[in-house]
Amino acid sequence: MEISRVNEQPHFVIPVHVEFERFSSGEICVLESIDGKKLYDNSDFGEIASICNQKLVYDFLFKEKLKDRPYTQEDAKDFISWAQEGWRRNEYFVFLIRNSRNKIMAAVDIKSNDIKSAEIGYWSSSDTPGIMTNAVTILCTVAMQAGFGELYGLTVPNNIRSQNVLSRAGFKNEGNFKQKGKNYFKFTKPLT
């Protein structure tokens, strides 16, 4: 018998602060919620802007949206404010990944509060390989503890790196999926 999850909301214990290992190096990293409990500074905004201007991240996520202009520190401040608003409203949940020197390496998010099935997204610095699969795996654990039943990720067909991250994190390729007129591959992972 399936448990009804209609009208239920996720319940995170915040702030979320979970340590995990970076693949191959064993470096201890932290997944932390951007929930308004922490202050961010120009160093953080600079790190986010730097990562978001890296070619792979920029081309997949920001090139079209920003109409080829660079991602700025002001954009990073807006990103942090937007992320905090999601936590305040309990609608979407964004996390940063920091390395052992407290530098931002990546971000992951759960894009809705639909605990039955919610989409995830992520970006990471090309200077920090070996981080994203473990970050997504930890995100799944945190999401399960908050009450989510399933997570899924969408990748454009040519984003092999992202598809590999999802596969290594235990997501199953469900095949082609169309959203807003664009073609994706959909990867799902039950959490219960």
Side-chain angles (χ1 to χ4, degrees):
M1 183 166 123
E2 186 175 321
I3 297 171
S4 172
R5 295 181 181 270
V6 177
N7 296 325
E8 290 185 35
Q9 295 286 310
H11 298 285
F12 291 93
V13 177
I14 56 174
V16 175
H17 183 95
V18 181
E19 292 184 352
F20 66 97
E21 281 189 23
R22 181 175 170 189
F23 179 74
S24 75
S25 73
E27 177 183 25
I28 299 300
C29 300
V30 174
L31 174 109
E32 67 179 29
S33 51
I34 308 177
D35 55 41
K37 306 289 185 205
K38 179 177 180 157
L39 297 177
Y40 296 91
D41 60 26
N42 285 334
S43 173
D44 295 320
F45 302 136
E47 289 167 8
I48 292 169
S50 176
I51 295 168
C52 291
N53 279 309
Q54 291 177 356
K55 183 165 178 45
L56 285 176
V57 174
Y58 185 83
D59 286 353
F60 275 115
L61 298 177
F62 303 111
K63 185 176 179 121
E64 187 177 310
K65 178 181 174 184
L66 298 178
K67 299 180 169 93
D68 287 327
R69 77 160 171 81
Y71 190 103
T72 65
Q73 285 197 23
E74 199 58 42
D75 293 320
K77 289 177 187 176
D78 291 344
F79 167 71
I80 294 294
S81 293
W82 169 82
Q84 291 171 333
E85 184 64 21
W87 282 94
R88 268 192 296 282
R89 296 166 126 185
N90 202 42
E91 290 179 358
Y92 52 90
F93 313 94
V94 185
F95 305 82
L96 289 175
I97 310 301
R98 292 184 184 267
N99 67 14
S100 58
R101 294 168 309 286
N102 204 37
K103 300 291 182 196
I104 295 169
M105 307 166 65
V108 295
D109 69 328
I110 302 171
K111 297 177 181 251
S112 77
N113 60 5
D114 181 350
I115 62 172
K116 183 176 178 188
S117 183
E119 182 181 358
I120 65 167
Y122 44 87
W123 50 256
S124 70
S125 171
S126 60
D127 300 329
T128 57
I131 190 67
M132 196 46 65
T133 297
N134 288 355
V136 169
T137 301
I138 291 299
L139 179 69
C140 290
T141 300
V142 169
M144 181 183 67
Q145 292 168 348
F148 285 91
E150 176 186 86
L151 295 178
Y152 69 91
L154 301 177
T155 71
V156 293
N158 66 338
N159 192 345
I160 303 301
R161 288 177 138 183
S162 190
Q163 294 164 25
N164 289 340
V165 164
L166 292 167
S167 293
R168 286 190 304 263
F171 286 70
K172 180 182 174 195
N173 187 344
E174 301 289 341
N176 294 325
F177 182 80
K178 199 165 204 155
Q179 182 177 23
K180 297 180 184 174
K182 292 186 178 181
N183 292 318
Y184 297 95
F185 290 145
K186 183 176 183 179
F187 290 75
T188 60
K189 182 173 182 176
L191 302 179
T192 54

